[in-house]
């Protein structure tokens, strides 16, 4: 029985069962990717726990202060970063990590073949106000030989080379959504059993939606094409929805249909969002769900990366909406 059939018959299928089933379709697979998912899943549960206690900040101490145990309190994005790195390091199947929270490549097991790019906590300005936040990750196969030192070329690969991509959303429920290039599947964390269970098999985004998501506070700095598109959205009485957590804005638009943009502005000529651990993974997910992701000039996943923390303007979501906006640029 396929996972989708099991879901239809209300049979619970956990993320680990689902991954094991997927892996069986590739008898030559080493299983290392499944182990990467095991480590990501574990770290996601730790971050979920920590995010849930974020409201206890008065008891635990403000960021940068000293808590009642006399320990200095770290920012949640630093904690999430450590949790993901520690889990992937302990698992031993990751050779290097690029993280929003690290200036340089973090070298792990050189005998492993996978590189991870991640934004351990996305939307961190929303932590203090109890709105949804997330983790974004992407997995690449290194290009240099296993056993040698990891190189920059292993880490700076185009998005089209991603082996897997996904995010965790810590929202009204916690979900892990991922793709390995075979469609997108979503799993909801059932805290009573401590496991992610398949809740959204084969996610597809509508070709057309009614939502546009952009930080309109930057409107005056946008190029005319964006201004005209936004005016048209208003004339058509579309809904403006923007939380300021890319994961949450993306997740909503993927399910309901919509367009998400972070264009270039006068002060940020390449936009704000990062290619390696924000735009590429989301681009792979949106394409796998039937949507599109572009800089306005180029498919996101074909952008040649030159720096770990490079930024790119991004337009992504429902395919007809993306096409329409690009035609106006
Ligand atoms: P992060 O918290 O990882 O720094 O990312 C925040 C990002 C992204 O989640 C969101 O879409 C965008 O910043 C919001 O930026 P503005 O506040 O400029 O709209
Ligand atoms: Mn982010
Ligand atoms: Mn972040």
């Amino acid at each position: 029985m396929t996972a989708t059939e099991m879901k239809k018959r209300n049979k619970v299928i956990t993320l680990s069962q689902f991954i094991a089933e997927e892996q069986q379709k590739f008898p030559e697979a080493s299983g290392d990717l499944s182990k990467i998912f095991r480590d990501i899943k574990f770290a996601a549960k730790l971050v979920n726990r920590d995010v849930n206690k974020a409201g206890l900040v008065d008891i635990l101490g403000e960021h940068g202060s000293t808590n009642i145990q006399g320990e200095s309190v770290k920012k949640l994005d630093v904690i999430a970063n450590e949790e993901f790195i520690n889990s992937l390091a302990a698992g031993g199947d990751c050779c290097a990590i690029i993280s929003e929270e690290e200036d340089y490549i973090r070298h792990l097991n050189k005998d492993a073949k996978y590189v991870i790019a991640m934004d351990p906590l996305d939307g961190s300005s929303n932590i203090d106000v109890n709105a949804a936040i997330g983790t974004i990750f992407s997995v690449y196969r290194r290009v240099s030989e296993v056993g040698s030192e990891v190189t920059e070329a292993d880490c700076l690969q185009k998005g089209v080379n991603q082996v897997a991509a996904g995010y965790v959303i810590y929202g009204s429920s916690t979900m892990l959504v991922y793709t390995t290039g075979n469609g997108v599947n979503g799993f909801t964390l059932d805290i009573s059993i401590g496991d992610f269970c398949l809740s959204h098999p084969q996610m597809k985004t509508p070709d057309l939606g009614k939502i546009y998501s952009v930080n309109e506070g930057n409107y005056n700095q946008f190029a005319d094409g964006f201004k005209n598109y936004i005016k048209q959205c208003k004339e058509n009485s579309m809904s403006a929805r923007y939380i300021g957590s890319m994961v949450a804005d993306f997740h909503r638009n993927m399910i309901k249909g919509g367009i998400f943009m972070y264009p270039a502005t006068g002060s940020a000529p390449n936009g704000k969002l990062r290619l390696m651990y924000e735009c590429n993974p989301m681009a792979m997910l949106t394409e796998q769900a039937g949507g599109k992701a572009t800089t306005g000039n180029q498919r996101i996943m074909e952008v040649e990366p030159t720096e770990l923390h490079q930024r790119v303007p991004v337009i992504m979501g429902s395919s007809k909406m993306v096409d329409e906006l690009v035609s106006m640029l």
Side-chain angles (χ1 to χ4, degrees):
M1 206 188 310
T2 67
T4 311
E5 285 161 357
M6 287 180 79
K7 172 76 182 22
K8 274 195 196 133
R9 293 184 195 184
N10 271 335
K11 289 219 182 342
V12 174
I13 176 160
T14 66
L15 176 60
S16 317
Q17 287 167 336
F18 184 85
I19 289 171
E21 204 178 293
E22 289 293 294
Q23 199 192 309
Q24 275 170 14
K25 294 182 191 158
F26 304 94
E28 70 289 359
S30 63
D32 293 357
L33 186 60
S34 305
K35 291 194 232 148
I36 296 269
F37 274 102
R38 172 202 60 199
D39 301 337
I40 289 175
K41 183 179 83 170
F42 179 67
K45 287 196 227 171
L46 296 181
V47 175
N48 178 64
R49 177 200 61 192
D50 295 335
V51 163
N52 277 306
K53 5 178 247 212
L56 298 172
V57 73
D58 288 344
I59 301 167
L60 301 175
E62 294 282 351
H63 306 319
S65 69
T66 306
N67 68 14
I68 43 171
Q69 279 92 35
E71 303 153 338
S72 67
V73 177
K74 292 181 196 158
K75 283 178 75 180
L76 208 47
D77 25 21
V78 174
I79 295 174
N81 185 51
E82 285 170 2
E83 286 171 335
F84 274 92
I85 291 179
N86 291 344
S87 180
L88 288 159
D93 294 289
C94 174
C95 60
I97 294 179
I98 316 174
S99 164
E100 187 191 6
E101 300 302 324
E102 307 265 317
D103 290 341
Y104 307 103
I105 297 168
R106 176 72 80 106
H107 292 255
L108 298 180
N109 177 12
K110 65 179 167 40
D111 294 322
K113 64 172 179 264
Y114 290 112
V115 172
I116 310 278
M118 66 169 182
D119 179 352
L121 212 61
D122 173 70
S124 40
S125 65
N126 278 320
I127 296 169
D128 296 343
V129 294
N130 229 334
I133 48 182
T135 295
I136 312 174
F137 61 89
S138 121
V139 184
Y140 291 86
R141 198 171 284 118
R142 64 189 290 180
V143 289
S144 63
E145 215 159 295
V146 168
S148 62
E149 284 303 322
V150 170
T151 65
E152 205 171 69
D154 293 324
C155 300
L156 290 180
Q157 298 189 53
K158 286 185 187 178
V160 285
N161 291 351
Q162 289 170 106
V163 174
Y167 58 81
V168 184
I169 175 165
Y170 312 98
S172 43
S173 64
T174 293
M175 278 188 75
L176 190 152
V177 176
Y178 84 98
T179 179
T180 50
N182 223 336
V184 179
N185 290 286
F187 299 79
T188 302
L189 181 60
D190 180 339
I191 39 169
S192 66
I193 59 169
D195 220 337
F196 287 93
C197 302
L198 181 65
S199 51
H200 295 62
Q202 286 299 326
M203 296 171 81
K204 289 283 167 226
T205 194
D207 289 346
L208 206 55
K210 290 204 157 299
I211 296 172
Y212 71 103
S213 306
V214 63
N215 185 343
E216 264 189 89
N218 296 329
Y219 183 87
N220 289 343
Q221 298 185 59
F222 292 157
D224 287 345
F226 283 97
K227 288 184 178 165
N228 293 334
Y229 182 79
I230 293 167
K231 273 186 219 149
Q232 185 179 295
C233 290
K234 293 177 199 287
E235 280 156 20
N236 294 336
S237 303
M238 286 172 51
S239 292
R241 294 282 183 273
Y242 188 78
I243 298 173
S245 283
M246 186 195 208
V247 170
D249 284 310
F250 178 92
H251 184 71
R252 179 201 54 241
N253 289 9
M254 181 160 69
I255 290 174
K256 297 196 168 180
I259 187 166
F260 174 91
M261 344 164 208
Y262 208 110
T265 61
S267 49
N270 292 314
K272 177 182 182 190
L273 300 176
R274 316 290 185 141
L275 175 63
M276 296 308 294
Y277 41 80
E278 290 180 319
C279 299
N280 268 334
M282 292 314 206
M284 182 176 184
L285 287 157
T286 197
E287 288 195 10
Q288 285 291 320
K292 287 191 175 172
T294 168
T295 62
N297 294 314
Q298 192 182 14
R299 185 179 167 214
I300 290 282
M301 289 205 286
E302 284 171 5
V303 174
E304 186 76 63
T306 52
E307 284 170 51
L308 298 181
H309 300 287
Q310 174 174 349
R311 299 172 199 268
V312 276
V314 64
I315 303 165
M316 63 182 154
S318 295
S319 58
K320 288 184 177 154
M321 299 172 86
V322 172
D323 287 345
E324 168 83 0
L325 168 53
V326 170
S327 76
M328 296 171 72
L329 295 178

